[in-house]
Amino acid sequence: MAAESADTTQSTDVTDVAELVRIWAAGWAVSRGTPRPAELPWGVYVEVGKPDQTGRHVLPEPSAAVVRAAAASVTAPYTWLKVPVEPLDAEPWLPEGWVVDKEESGYLMAVGLRPAEPVAPVGYTASVETDDGVTFVRVHDGAGQLAAQGQMAVLGHATVVDRVVTQEAHRRRGLGGFVMRTLTDEALARGAAIGVLGATPDGRALYETLGWHLSAPLAACVYRP
């Protein structure tokens, strides 16, 4: 499924925002176990099927006309548009019933992968498991409780990192960085050369310390008629 979700057989420039957006959408679908993205005139559509997210249109090359065309195709509430522009720039392009959700907006980030040689912080152990194309890293404390986790989908030469979370009681101990470094080495072992992810503002700070670069803002727009 992953190999068909995006054309990842050729080298990708980590500054090519449109291609990174397509890779991100394809990898997100694999990571979340949704159907493969469907190609549409304005980009791709991922069916999600959740109460707060019916589906998402991802627009690699946005403009006012592209955003309006994608929005006009939507009839189901809680359908989202993910657009690589500043949220304030997307707002005037939206028809009635649409809003920019600033809390869900974030950043598209990418990096050329390099060996990371992760070392677990004292008192923690990690496990790595791959299931149905998705690699999961989980970190447990000495009592066996889950402390941090993350996952990724490798699409040819690219990996899409997703759901990197540290439990609140275990934050500021280097676990997020350890998860990311572990995912990096696992991705390299699987033939990936670049990494792509969608980051929250808090996540962006962590990823930048690990060498990831901001590729574009990501405006999150939702249909709430």
Side-chain angles (χ1 to χ4, degrees), residues 182-194:
T182 303
L183 288 170
T184 292
D185 279 10
E186 292 292 328
L188 286 166
R190 288 162 172 75
I194 68 167

Side-chain angles (χ1 to χ4, degrees), residues 93-115:
W93 300 344
L94 297 171
E96 186 177 355
W98 285 87
V99 296
V100 173
D101 190 320
K102 294 181 173 62
E103 290 187 2
E104 291 295 323
S105 296
Y107 307 96
L108 181 72
M109 303 188 74
V111 71
L113 299 175
R114 298 173 179 269

Side-chain angles (χ1 to χ4, degrees), residues 125-150:
T125 58
S127 64
V128 178
E129 178 185 3
T130 299
D131 182 31
D132 199 20
V134 184
T135 297
F136 301 88
V137 173
R138 299 181 178 92
V139 183
H140 294 83
D141 64 13
Q145 297 298 308
L146 183 66
Q149 62 191 327

Side-chain angles (χ1 to χ4, degrees), residues 7 13 19 21 51 55 71 83 94 105 117 148 165 183 197 223:
D7 180 9
D13 181 351
E19 181 63 13
V21 168
V83 190
L94 297 171
S105 296
E117 300 179 355
V165 178
L183 288 170
L197 57 78
Y223 182 49

Side-chain angles (χ1 to χ4, degrees), residues 18-198:
E19 181 63 13
L20 293 174
V21 168
R22 286 187 171 276
I23 292 170
W24 174 62
W28 188 92
V30 174
S31 177
R32 302 298 176 100
T34 72
R36 190 169 63 227
E39 288 285 340
L40 295 170
W42 44 80
V44 298
Y45 175 73
V46 181
E47 182 181 346
V48 180
K50 293 186 176 181
D52 61 348
Q53 186 170 186
T54 303
R56 53 165 59 187
H57 293 269
V58 185
L59 282 52
E61 300 182 76
S63 65
V66 165
V67 169
R68 287 170 184 150
S73 75
V74 172
T75 58
Y78 294 97
T79 299
W80 292 74
L81 302 182
K82 296 288 185 170
V83 190
V85 297
E86 291 287 352
L88 288 177
D89 292 338
E91 213 159 24
W93 300 344
L94 297 171
E96 186 177 355
W98 285 87
V99 296
V100 173
D101 190 320
K102 294 181 173 62
E103 290 187 2
E104 291 295 323
S105 296
Y107 307 96
L108 181 72
M109 303 188 74
V111 71
L113 299 175
R114 298 173 179 269
E117 300 179 355
V119 177
V122 174
Y124 294 92
T125 58
S127 64
V128 178
E129 178 185 3
T130 299
D131 182 31
D132 199 20
V134 184
T135 297
F136 301 88
V137 173
R138 299 181 178 92
V139 183
H140 294 83
D141 64 13
Q145 297 298 308
L146 183 66
Q149 62 191 327
Q151 62 196 64
M152 68 177 182
V154 174
L155 309 177
H157 78 293
T159 188
V160 176
V161 174
D162 189 26
R163 286 178 164 168
V164 176
V165 178
T166 300
Q167 300 301 317
E168 189 164 355
H170 299 275
R171 291 177 183 170
R172 302 187 183 280
R173 301 182 188 183
L175 295 181
F178 171 70
V179 168
M180 289 296 295
R181 292 184 181 96
T182 303
L183 288 170
T184 292
D185 279 10
E186 292 292 328
L188 286 166
R190 288 162 172 75
I194 68 167
V196 184
L197 57 78

